[in-house]
Amino acid sequence: MLGSNVLGIKLGWHILLFVFIAANILLNVLANNQKKAVMGKPAAKLEGVQMVQGEPVDPTRRGFVTVVESWATWCPPCIRSIPHLNEIYLKYKARGVQFIGVTSEKDVAKITKFVQGNASMTYPVGMDMLGKVGANYPARGIPNAYVVGKDGNIAWTGHPATKEFEESIEAALAGSTQAPRSTEPEPTKEN
């Protein structure tokens, strides 16, 4: 019989499955509550960011739409999303959309080498040296993007590979505060 011995207690597969499903539901509820808590709230400045490529951006700058994307070099889904993000960046930068990819990694040489070696990563990239970006733009996993509207408020957050990501940029450019509902694929947990 398939099962596991936890603290001397034999657990059947059905109990393990139940615990797994319950934990997954709890994580989704917490993520949705976190998302609801930030939607429509004022965006925070990107304090403590050391730029690796491009100019700094200010999500609190009124009249502009800003994308703040969290990523890491060790995250395969993040790396796979870089060409898509770059395509979106190139499509919308002429319309005044500010982009920045921010990593919590602190190794300047490693990040610089990664960015310079990645021809499909032409958007601004910074390093969250003080942990303030991660604190002000929380995510349950990466990659994760925030879209900040022209009013300086958070309009959307979710996985940047969804169609809702680009739809939320369009909605924010149009001045809408009603961004599409996020449907996130499972992101990779950041350490």
Side-chain angles (χ1 to χ4, degrees):
M1 177 169 166
L2 181 63
S4 181
N5 193 343
V6 178
L7 299 174
I9 301 169
K10 182 78 170 170
L11 299 177
W13 67 268
H14 57 284
I15 294 174
L16 293 174
L17 179 62
F18 173 77
V19 169
F20 174 77
I21 291 170
N24 203 3
I25 291 170
L26 178 61
L27 285 174
N28 282 322
V29 166
L30 292 173
N32 286 333
N33 287 342
Q34 178 184 36
K35 189 174 292 194
K36 288 176 188 173
V38 299
M39 298 296 280
K41 301 285 194 261
K45 285 191 175 281
L46 301 179
E47 297 179 60
V49 173
Q50 179 174 333
M51 294 305 295
V52 175
Q53 173 172 279
E55 297 297 318
V57 302
D58 180 2
T60 65
R61 188 174 172 199
R62 303 289 175 147
F64 290 85
V65 173
T66 305
V67 173
V68 179
E69 188 257 345
S70 300
W71 70 284
T73 60
W74 52 262
C75 167
C78 298
I79 294 168
R80 284 192 302 271
S81 72
I82 290 170
H84 172 69
L85 285 165
N86 202 66
E87 178 183 307
I88 299 295
Y89 165 69
L90 294 172
K91 180 176 179 178
Y92 288 102
K93 74 176 185 174
R95 292 178 62 189
V97 177
Q98 306 179 105
F99 271 74
I100 186 165
V102 181
T103 181
S104 63
E105 296 171 271
K106 310 286 191 277
D107 186 336
V108 176
K110 176 182 176 182
I111 302 304
T112 301
K113 182 179 178 181
F114 180 89
V115 171
Q116 289 176 346
N118 195 330
S120 64
M121 192 176 213
T122 63
Y123 50 90
V125 176
M127 297 169 55
D128 185 9
M129 302 305 279
L130 303 177
K132 290 187 175 188
V133 177
N136 291 326
Y137 294 88
R140 94 177 167 164
I142 57 173
N144 188 74
Y146 277 80
V147 175
V148 179
K150 291 179 179 181
D151 60 357
N153 293 327
I154 295 170
W156 182 86
T157 183
H159 197 290
T162 63
K163 69 178 180 169
E164 289 83 4
F165 173 55
E166 189 169 358
E167 289 173 356
S168 70
I169 294 170
E170 286 287 347
L173 281 168
S176 172
T177 57
Q178 297 296 319
R181 187 178 68 78
S182 174
T183 54
E184 299 181 53
E186 287 299 312
T188 302
K189 276 301 222 189
E190 184 174 11
N191 293 344

